Amino acid sequence: MAGNGFQASSYANDRPPSSTGSGEADVNTDPASSGFFTTDFKKHEDLKSMLDSNKDSLKLEAMKRIIGMVAKGKDASDLFPPVVKNVVSKNLEVKKLVYVYLTRYAEEQQDLALLSISTFQRALKDPNQLIRASALRVLSSIRVSVIAPIMMLAIKEAVMDMSPYVRKTAAHAIPKLYSLDPETKDQLIEVLDRLLGDKTTLVAGSAIQAYVEICPERMDLIHKNYRKLCNLLVDVEEWGQVVILNMLTHYCRTQFVSPNQDDKQDESERPFYESSEKDSDDDEDDDDEHEDGDKKKKNEKQSAYIMDPDHRLLLRQSKPLLNSRNAAVVMAVAQLYHHCAPKSEVGTVARSLIRLLRCHREIQYVVLSNIASMTSKRRGIFEPYLKSFYVRSSDPLHVKLLKLEILTSLATETNISTILREFQTYVTSSDKEFAAATIQAIGRCASSIAEVTDACLNGLVRLMSNRDEAVVAESVVVIKKLLQMRPSEHKDIITYMAKMVDKITVPMARASILWLIGEYSERVPKIAPDVLRKMAKNFVNEEDIVKLQVLNLSVKLCITNPKQTKLLCQYVLNLAKYDQNYDIRDRSRFLRQFVLPSDKPCALAKYAKKVFLATKPAPILESNFSSRDSYQLGSLSHLLNMKATGYQDLPEWPSVAPDPSVRNVELPPVWKENREPIKGKKQKQPAADLKSFYSSSSEEEESSEEESDEESEKDGASEEESEEEGTEDSSKEASDEESSEDDTEESSSSSSSSSSEDSSEEESDKEIKKTVKKSVPAKESSVKEKVKPSSGGDLLLDLDDLGPTTTTTSVAAASGGLLTPMAAGTAFVAQTNQAQTRSSNILQGITVPTKTYELLNRLSTGGLTVTYKYTRTISLFSPKMVSLELTFTNSGEAPFTAIRIGEKKIHSGMEIHDFPEIASLGVGASTSVLMGINFNDTTQPASFQLVSEQKTFSLAISAPVGELLQPHTMGEAEFKSQLAKLSGMNENRESCDIPENKRTPEGIYSSVLSVSNVLQVPSSDPDVFTFAAHTLASGTVVLISVRLAGKVAKITVNCEKMVIGTMLIKDLKRALSSPTI
């Protein structure tokens, strides 16, 4: 671009351009004498003269200035004749810019563009692909039906072009020709069919866009290209990915059965206000009514469902796109998973959607709108990211309202206290609309979670004394809705609101209070007539909505308490009879006939009480996004909550899947079948393997189902696989050769397109393997035979490798759940120093009852109780992990199925080893499982989700500091040596009074064991009791000394980790000073 070309004034044409052609304006020129105020000036004269010159440099400069004008939105249509003449220019740069200009104005200047059609047709044969594509683009921009045949021929030629860029331009031209002449649809479909088969990533997105605009109902065009599109998805440009994903979503909904067809509605995904107890009762009744035969058929149907391999292929190939930098691509994948994936896999999109909340406000609004719709149906997947939806002061109002909507939808019994604390801050916001929306959100939480209804009501009542009228008014409206659900329990609130009538000035709030008093006047019989008297006194000055409620109040009180209110009612009706608003006048005439009938009594007067005091249904406080589920997620219609032009409804899942063989592609015979073998090489590979080598991975028929099953198992992260992999890793350490052979066998069996190496390379590989095997000593081979399990040994452990620690495990198991580390350590002490043991104060046979902690209560889970205890044994999963025993008990009325560990949220350095999935826990049944947690020597909680098919629970386990220890064996001399090293800042001292029942060695030992997993160390001093342990994660030594002096115990804890020492000594002091263990 020229330096001053775009800064030139195109309208100062009363002087010739400069020699450089820049046409810079003269600053001293009088504005009144310029061409703006004359009638004979010639616009863009300098540019026209430059375009007519013989110098390519001037033409290029003029075209740059013209394109700059177009880019700025200025009108350059009058330059069309001089520009179109340069379409035959031999300068490539000029020709490109001319085509850009013609693409913009060809539709406006159709007659002049038609004169150059022959030039465009010649340009379609140009050697430069950019010129060919530009000519086709200009030709398709001329909106004249006469040239439709010419456009058709040009498109057919461009589809056969060697350049992918030209074929991409042809795909863009197809919808233009279709809109110009719809009768060419059949011919265009033939052309489109060829484009859809194009294997170039540059063409795929444009071809699918043309398909969607012309014939989205022709699924037969996609069948043979489905697998190719899935495999090319990652490499297609971003906007092409969006188009393909949206099209494949529709395809998936028509060609596969629903992956969730047999799933029962999850409790966490029920409607916002639906009662889980009622549903469970209904399910039990239905189960009693069904016959055994129907149950068997249903079970067979559930077990028969297997996801189609092509369905799995789509989900697997689209998952990597969640990491795309383009928000539209991430949103397209999210809607695909939302509409087409199994419920258990939809949660994978949550993290990527949360990432998009860091983008611009416009993107935030779209993403939050979709998340709000998803949470109304599947709120469980976003519960771990609750803090991401907290409102920031810098957020615009529309983003704040959406976050508020999402927080309300995510509210459960476990997190409602956190959300309500957040809402308390929002209520004080200076933004009145946001504060009012927060109060409505509090009302929704109160109506959906019965445990906090009273607390929310009390909080809303306190808000009625707020200085802000908008807050008070919204509080009154929400309280009115909540009171309709349980009016009999809140008489005091109605009385309080009646007293607030004089202070509240917002019409809607006053009307709500009057409605409440009139509806429940029997509960406040003394206050209601007085409120009517006050309102009648100021009736003329009230707003229309308040006047209507005053009329209703007067009629209701006249029916229930005519003795006190009949005259007041007559007075109010007379005032309303002459009101300026015709609505109020009509209402007064209508109501008068019920309570103050004239000479001709009204036939409905005797039913007045049934008409006005009938029981009204409680209002339903539900999400505004619950009705948007009918629209496809991520579409404009979903965002606007109305059907936009061109929107295609998402089809329903078919009850029976169509024939999957339509997606199989038959390949022509491969040339290698008639190839002669090369001399000196072994033709070892069978023909079937060679054939699979030349077939693309998207066209595999036999192995695709196996691959999809393997991928689904990997995605599910099953416990069995993790255990097998762990044992395989241990076996690899023992025998590298055997594992390498197994790996090669597994890789060759899992992939259908195995490598076709030369036989000479295969032979050389075999020779290398043989030499490696021969070099292995006989001693190692014997060890290998011992390590290798005979059958099914992948899940077993070689207990000989653990050494003496197996004694600890067996003793702990035999003790019936009692903590007995002393029994584990006695043998060690006896072996190392028998003489010292005899003279020391070592105690044996002391047991401490195991403490059991409650993790889930049956009242909050619908019957599932989960408790855990620390086994104080070496974890089978890792020596750094704390071993926990979880006990599940089902006290509910329905079984819990597929209980497992879900998403984990742990700090850096921490680890959680899952327990095996519990397939089913029947009513009244109880089971125990082991899990391991590496707390990394901290007391920070390990948070995770406990997932079942019925519900998802968010849990956190934080271990006491004493459970982070493992008993450490040492003698008295080593204890004193370590004690000398851990003095100074590593030493903590405390003293406490000991109850009389603990002043014995047994009492002190039991108290120390109750709070810490330690081992007693021999001590020659009978009044000093010493213990040793080390931390599980880092192996840091922990030393404990308790010196008994009368009724006072002096406690000393030595540890390099000062935090552990400080917390441990507090626990020891508490245990020793407590009268009970």
Side-chain angles (χ1 to χ4, degrees), residues 160-350:
M160 306 291 291
D161 198 281
M162 294 294 294
S163 169
Y165 182 71
V166 178
R167 299 199 298 272
K168 178 185 177 74
T169 307
H172 291 164
I174 288 175
K176 296 180 181 179
L177 178 56
Y178 175 70
S179 62
L180 184 65
D181 187 6
E183 294 181 358
T184 59
K185 180 177 181 178
D186 294 337
Q187 299 180 54
L188 290 175
I189 288 177
E190 294 178 5
V191 175
L192 187 59
D193 190 15
R194 182 178 183 85
L195 280 176
L196 290 173
D198 199 309
K199 295 183 179 180
T200 310
T201 56
L202 190 65
V203 182
S206 302
I208 294 298
Q209 180 63 41
Y211 162 82
V212 171
E213 293 189 26
I214 293 180
C215 52
E217 73 284 350
R218 290 288 301 273
M219 291 296 177
D220 57 301
L221 298 177
I222 304 298
H223 289 325
K224 57 186 178 181
N225 301 304
Y226 172 80
R227 293 172 186 168
K228 181 205 68 177
L229 289 172
C230 290
N231 289 317
L232 291 179
L233 194 56
V234 180
D235 300 319
V236 177
E237 47 92 19
E238 293 172 340
W239 296 113
Q241 290 173 346
V242 176
V243 174
I244 294 174
L245 284 169
N246 286 325
M247 184 277 297
L248 290 178
T249 302
H250 286 259
Y251 182 88
C252 183
R253 292 291 290 254
T254 58
Q255 301 301 315
F256 308 123
V257 294
S258 172
N260 304 311
Q261 59 183 355
D262 298 327
D263 292 352
K264 293 182 179 179
Q265 189 178 15
D266 200 22
E267 246 184 81
S268 62
E269 297 169 2
R270 290 180 185 273
F272 201 78
Y273 45 88
E274 188 173 332
S275 172
S276 59
E277 296 179 0
K278 180 179 178 182
D279 291 339
S280 62
D281 295 341
D282 294 343
D283 292 341
E284 289 179 4
D285 296 340
D286 294 338
D287 292 340
D288 294 336
E289 293 173 3
H290 288 307
E291 298 178 357
D292 295 339
D294 295 337
K295 287 183 179 179
K296 290 180 180 178
K297 290 180 180 178
K298 186 175 181 181
N299 292 335
E300 288 176 1
K301 185 177 179 182
Q302 288 181 348
S303 61
Y305 172 73
I306 299 176
M307 180 177 286
D308 191 291
D310 289 327
H311 191 175
R312 171 59 60 193
L313 175 67
L314 172 60
L315 296 177
R316 187 171 66 245
Q317 294 297 105
S318 60
K319 188 175 180 180
L321 299 183
L322 288 172
N323 299 319
S324 174
R325 63 180 180 179
N326 191 311
V329 176
V330 178
M331 198 63 247
V333 179
Q335 64 86 23
L336 172 66
Y337 269 74
H338 178 72
H339 292 298
C340 301
K343 290 181 180 179
S344 58
E345 299 181 22
V346 179
T348 56
V349 306

Side-chain angles (χ1 to χ4, degrees), residues 408-440:
T408 310
S409 298
L410 293 179
T412 60
E413 294 86 349
T414 55
N415 61 22
I416 184 62
S417 58
T418 306
I419 292 177
L420 287 179
R421 281 198 300 271
E422 194 72 13
F423 284 174
Q424 287 177 4
T425 307
Y426 301 163
V427 169
T428 60
S429 173
S430 58
D431 190 335
K432 307 306 178 189
E433 187 175 350
F434 176 55
T438 303
I439 295 173
Q440 292 179 5

Side-chain angles (χ1 to χ4, degrees), residues 246 249-250 253 331-332 334-340 366 369-374 376-378 624-652:
N246 286 325
T249 302
H250 286 259
R253 292 291 290 254
M331 198 63 247
Q335 64 86 23
L336 172 66
Y337 269 74
H338 178 72
H339 292 298
C340 301
V366 175
S369 299
N370 290 282
I371 292 177
S373 185
M374 294 175 74
S376 64
K377 189 176 181 182
R378 295 189 176 100
N624 297 328
F625 287 82
S626 57
S627 60
R628 299 195 182 188
D629 197 44
S630 57
Y631 297 110
Q632 183 177 352
L633 207 67
S635 63
L636 179 62
S637 299
H638 176 271
L639 190 67
L640 301 176
N641 199 22
M642 59 181 293
K643 197 166 184 177
T645 305
Y647 174 76
Q648 297 176 10
D649 291 321
L650 202 62
E652 295 294 333

Side-chain angles (χ1 to χ4, degrees), residues 784-798:
K784 183 166 55 178
E785 291 175 0
K786 290 181 180 180
V787 173
K788 185 175 180 180
S790 58
S791 62
D794 290 344
L795 300 178
L796 300 178
L797 290 173
D798 192 353

Side-chain angles (χ1 to χ4, degrees), residues 535-560:
M535 301 308 298
K537 188 176 180 181
N538 198 36
F539 181 83
V540 179
N541 300 323
E542 297 288 352
E543 294 291 334
D544 293 342
I545 188 173
V546 180
K547 289 179 181 179
L548 291 173
Q549 290 304 324
V550 172
L551 287 173
N552 290 340
L553 175 62
S554 63
V555 171
K556 291 176 181 178
L557 291 180
C558 186
I559 294 172
T560 57

Side-chain angles (χ1 to χ4, degrees), residues 306-307 312 316 319 342 344-345 704-725 750 900 914 917:
I306 299 176
M307 180 177 286
R312 171 59 60 193
R316 187 171 66 245
K319 188 175 180 180
S344 58
E345 299 181 22
S704 60
E705 184 173 354
E706 296 174 1
E707 286 184 355
S708 64
D709 293 341
E710 289 174 4
E711 287 295 326
S712 64
E713 289 172 2
K714 288 179 183 177
D715 293 340
S718 65
E719 185 64 30
E720 294 179 1
E721 277 190 347
S722 63
E723 291 182 1
E724 289 176 5
E725 290 172 2
S750 62
R900 62 192 184 279
D914 301 357
E917 179 176 328

Side-chain angles (χ1 to χ4, degrees), residues 570-586:
Q570 186 176 359
Y571 175 70
V572 170
L573 290 174
N574 288 335
L575 288 175
K577 185 178 179 180
Y578 301 103
D579 195 88
Q580 294 181 354
N581 190 305
Y582 62 84
D583 261 349
I584 298 173
R585 296 197 300 269
D586 291 346

